[in-house]
Amino acid sequence: MEAVHDHGHEHHPSGIMRWVTTTNHKDIGTLYLFFSLIMFFFAGSLAMGIRAELFQPGLQFMQPNTFNQLTTMHGLIMVFGAIMPAFVGFANWQVPLMIGAPDMALPRLNNWSFWLLPMAAILLVGSFFVPGGAAAGGWTMYPPLFIQGGLSGDMTIFAVHILGISSILGSINIITTIMNMRAPGMTYMKMPLFVWTWFITAFLLVAVMPVLAGAVTMLLTDRHFDTHFFNAAGGGDPVMFQHIFWFFGHPEVYIMILPAFGIVSSIIPTFARKPLFGYASMVYATASIAILSFIVWAHHMYSVGMPTAAQLYFMYATMLIAVPTGVKVFNWIATMWEGSMTFETPMLFAIAFVALFTIGGFTGIVLAVVPVDIQLQDTYYVVAHFHYVLVSGSLFAIFAGAYYWLPKWTGHMYNETLGKWHFWLSMIGFNILFFPQHFLGLAGMPRRIPDYALQFADFNMISSIGGFMFGATQLLFVIVVIKCVRGGTKATAQVWEGADTLEWTIPSPAPYHTFATPPVIK
């Protein structure tokens, strides 16, 4: 054994090479989280540009084409660059710890999964600076608009391919780890809910990413090889693209929310000092949401001329998803009911998640109703709806999880006062930003338009003020994280006081490669 220890140092690079070559799940989780943070600020700055342009009627800072590029890039980068990598970072850090595994099943694949992302990000961000193409189609890349244009569209398509490969590889790794590396005695129905949500999410990713790859490949051949998949003049059908895209896109929405459910299901029991209410029903609800997510895609397409029977089917199927989601919300509230609650920053974000995500869910049910949706389609009501799901949903859960696990990851406590400031300013800024957009949409203001009628001026000004407030507040989060990583009060093993059920204080069995002395049996 000694010989191995003497020569071991050759194989442990330091400095930047440690991060480039690492196969350690914690290092890779950290890389994902930092990458996500950088992309979050880039995409967020694009959103600030959008809100600055909309601060008052008329064209202020940019041409309509530039405005379209901002919305397209903001959407693509937030979805594929900020939200998804953050959740994969959480999975890398927490899944092995929670199931008692020494690492991920496929550590080198794990490294590659991550390093594909910066490459894709360079292409995606780069497409913003080369001649147009990506601008017109929106983040959904709809033809015929997306089929025109130059290099930008090709770079976007290539970036989406690489992002998809990264997601598939990461998901295979997570599935393999959970199925094969659980500690002895940890049956599926004993896994923490965060592990369950990621297990199900990984299957969703493996199922839908190839569908997106097929759709963008057909776009690419339409652009360059004279195929006519989506070109009506050549016998193609632009609506076919929408069907293929949303068959990916709707499960994708759940890919971005299921891990959030897992994080919130870890946090609420801790700060309520009670076990999670209805564990089994939570597992089944998560699985039901995942299955139903595959059969509701065309609710994004009520206005394309579907037969009435299809519209009715998609309307009822969509409303069905509200049932398992309602089960989850009920269980979170029941977990808090009569608990000994304390309100540290992670809990504040988790409670805000439950309240605001529920609003997003209700506006989703409103939009599921065909005649209502035909009126509200492509208005700011839709923008408000999905930001309540993706910002106060996914993003708030990411913040909650970051505050919750930072002491575990860094060994230091974060600054609770700054954390609470970050929460309250985010909460207020977010609602000032997105709540008025419901009214704008009901009044008929179309989205993705840089100029608008005078009647919408006041709500847009309020919305933009909320936007700048929300955007500036996120700098507080960076300060909290940097301070926490660099030092601070040492975190104890029992960091959240009184939380004896806390998942990561339960010692997992010793990894198989440690040569610890077995305990003496008296």
Side-chain angles (χ1 to χ4, degrees), residues 7-57:
H7 298 101
H9 298 296
E10 295 164 19
H11 303 295
H12 294 294
S14 58
I16 191 143
M17 284 316 284
R18 172 197 154 187
W19 293 100
V20 173
T21 60
T22 181
T23 54
N24 178 312
H25 71 100
K26 297 176 179 179
D27 284 351
I28 292 171
T30 305
L31 285 169
Y32 269 108
L33 289 163
F34 273 109
F35 171 81
S36 156
L37 193 63
I38 293 163
M39 290 290 103
F40 172 62
F41 274 93
F42 182 78
S45 60
L46 301 181
M48 296 299 96
I50 293 169
R51 283 321 319 171
E53 178 55 64
L54 294 171
F55 189 74
Q56 58 187 46

Side-chain angles (χ1 to χ4, degrees), residues 446-458:
R447 64 187 188 145
R448 296 181 180 168
I449 303 290
D451 190 8
Y452 52 85
L454 212 52
Q455 71 189 73
F456 304 128
D458 294 349

Side-chain angles (χ1 to χ4, degrees), residues 219-235:
L219 274 179
L220 191 72
T221 59
D222 272 13
R223 285 168 63 98
H224 295 293
F225 302 113
D226 218 21
T227 55
H228 298 284
F229 291 112
F230 310 127
N231 181 355

Side-chain angles (χ1 to χ4, degrees), residues 81 241 358 385 391 448:
F241 177 86
T358 303
H385 154 67
V391 181
R448 296 181 180 168

Side-chain angles (χ1 to χ4, degrees), residues 248-334:
F248 145 81
H250 201 76
E252 167 67 26
V253 176
Y254 293 95
I255 287 162
M256 290 189 285
I257 202 68
L258 292 183
F261 291 166
I263 291 170
V264 168
S265 302
S266 302
I267 292 172
I268 288 178
T270 299
F271 295 97
R273 274 94 188 149
K274 278 175 64 192
L276 184 74
F277 182 91
Y279 171 90
S281 65
M282 288 295 247
V283 172
Y284 295 132
T286 311
S288 319
I289 289 171
I291 292 159
L292 289 170
S293 75
F294 280 100
I295 57 168
V296 296
W297 75 90
H299 66 209
H300 297 267
M301 301 167 50
Y302 287 150
S303 56
V304 302
M306 275 192 292
T308 313
Q311 289 181 326
L312 278 172
Y313 161 74
F314 283 108
M315 176 166 87
Y316 291 129
T318 302
M319 289 180 170
L320 201 56
I321 289 198
V323 178
T325 312
V327 168
K328 285 181 163 297
V329 173
F330 172 83
N331 285 4
W332 289 321
I333 293 170

Side-chain angles (χ1 to χ4, degrees), residues 213-450:
V216 296
T217 305
M218 285 189 269
L219 274 179
L220 191 72
T221 59
D222 272 13
R223 285 168 63 98
H224 295 293
F225 302 113
D226 218 21
T227 55
H228 298 284
F229 291 112
F230 310 127
N231 181 355
D237 183 4
V239 175
M240 181 172 78
F241 177 86
Q242 297 190 25
H243 278 290
I244 302 170
F245 180 88
W246 286 114
F247 188 80
F248 145 81
H250 201 76
E252 167 67 26
V253 176
Y254 293 95
I255 287 162
M256 290 189 285
I257 202 68
L258 292 183
F261 291 166
I263 291 170
V264 168
S265 302
S266 302
I267 292 172
I268 288 178
T270 299
F271 295 97
R273 274 94 188 149
K274 278 175 64 192
L276 184 74
F277 182 91
Y279 171 90
S281 65
M282 288 295 247
V283 172
Y284 295 132
T286 311
S288 319
I289 289 171
I291 292 159
L292 289 170
S293 75
F294 280 100
I295 57 168
V296 296
W297 75 90
H299 66 209
H300 297 267
M301 301 167 50
Y302 287 150
S303 56
V304 302
M306 275 192 292
T308 313
Q311 289 181 326
L312 278 172
Y313 161 74
F314 283 108
M315 176 166 87
Y316 291 129
T318 302
M319 289 180 170
L320 201 56
I321 289 198
V323 178
T325 312
V327 168
K328 285 181 163 297
V329 173
F330 172 83
N331 285 4
W332 289 321
I333 293 170
T335 305
M336 293 187 271
W337 192 260
E338 294 201 339
S340 311
M341 300 235 288
T342 53
F343 298 99
E344 289 88 346
T345 311
M347 186 60 159
L348 289 173
F349 271 110
I351 293 171
F353 170 95
V354 175
L356 297 178
F357 174 77
T358 303
I359 294 175
F362 279 133
T363 54
I365 294 173
V366 170
L367 289 167
V369 181
V370 175
V372 177
D373 182 79
I374 286 171
Q375 285 301 307
L376 295 177
Q377 193 258 340
D378 253 341
T379 67
Y380 266 84
Y381 191 89
V382 179
V383 177
H385 154 67
F386 70 73
H387 282 89
Y388 266 83
V389 175
L390 285 175
V391 181
S392 62
S394 305
L395 184 64
F396 275 23
I398 288 167
F399 288 148
Y403 283 111
Y404 183 57
W405 283 311
L406 264 172
K408 161 81 179 155
W409 296 342
T410 63
H412 305 292
M413 263 319 272
Y414 61 86
N415 183 321
E416 187 66 61
T417 313
L418 279 181
K420 286 200 162 78
W421 272 102
H422 173 224
F423 167 73
W424 283 111
L425 291 172
S426 290
M427 177 79 171
I428 295 162
F430 167 80
N431 282 292
I432 296 173
L433 166 56
F434 289 112
F435 204 78
Q437 294 184 7
H438 292 102
F439 308 134
L440 286 170
L442 288 166
M445 179 174 167
R447 64 187 188 145
R448 296 181 180 168
I449 303 290

Side-chain angles (χ1 to χ4, degrees), residues 19-212:
W19 293 100
V20 173
T21 60
T22 181
T23 54
N24 178 312
H25 71 100
K26 297 176 179 179
D27 284 351
I28 292 171
T30 305
L31 285 169
Y32 269 108
L33 289 163
F34 273 109
F35 171 81
S36 156
L37 193 63
I38 293 163
M39 290 290 103
F40 172 62
F41 274 93
F42 182 78
S45 60
L46 301 181
M48 296 299 96
I50 293 169
R51 283 321 319 171
E53 178 55 64
L54 294 171
F55 189 74
Q56 58 187 46
L59 293 178
Q60 270 69 247
F61 306 108
M62 57 189 85
Q63 290 306 305
N65 195 47
T66 312
F67 183 87
N68 286 349
Q69 271 185 297
L70 288 184
T71 52
T72 298
M73 285 297 138
H74 165 74
L76 278 170
I77 294 168
M78 276 296 187
V79 169
F80 292 109
I83 301 291
M84 288 172 69
F87 283 135
V88 181
F90 280 111
N92 263 296
W93 253 105
Q94 293 303 128
V95 167
L97 300 180
M98 285 179 165
I99 64 172
D103 204 303
M104 296 292 275
L106 308 159
R108 299 173 77 169
L109 188 72
N110 206 11
N111 174 290
W112 197 45
S113 302
F114 172 75
W115 284 109
L116 285 169
L117 282 184
M119 303 305 120
I122 290 165
L123 277 170
L124 196 52
V125 173
S127 73
F128 190 61
F129 300 102
V130 300
W139 82 274
T140 51
M141 301 178 281
Y142 276 3
L145 293 172
F146 197 79
I147 289 174
Q148 284 101 49
L151 187 58
S152 171
D154 299 330
M155 289 169 74
T156 306
I157 288 169
F158 192 32
V160 166
H161 268 298
I162 297 173
L163 291 161
I165 294 167
S166 166
S167 290
I168 291 169
L169 298 180
S171 300
I172 290 171
N173 209 345
I174 288 166
I175 292 167
T176 313
T177 305
I178 295 171
M179 290 183 79
N180 296 320
M181 298 180 71
R182 283 163 297 145
M186 177 170 281
T187 59
Y188 282 113
M189 291 309 276
K190 286 201 175 104
M191 297 194 307
L193 249 164
F194 179 73
V195 180
W196 256 117
T197 54
W198 246 112
F199 191 42
I200 291 166
T201 302
F203 278 106
L204 282 181
L205 276 164
V206 170
V208 301
M209 277 300 169
V211 178
L212 178 66

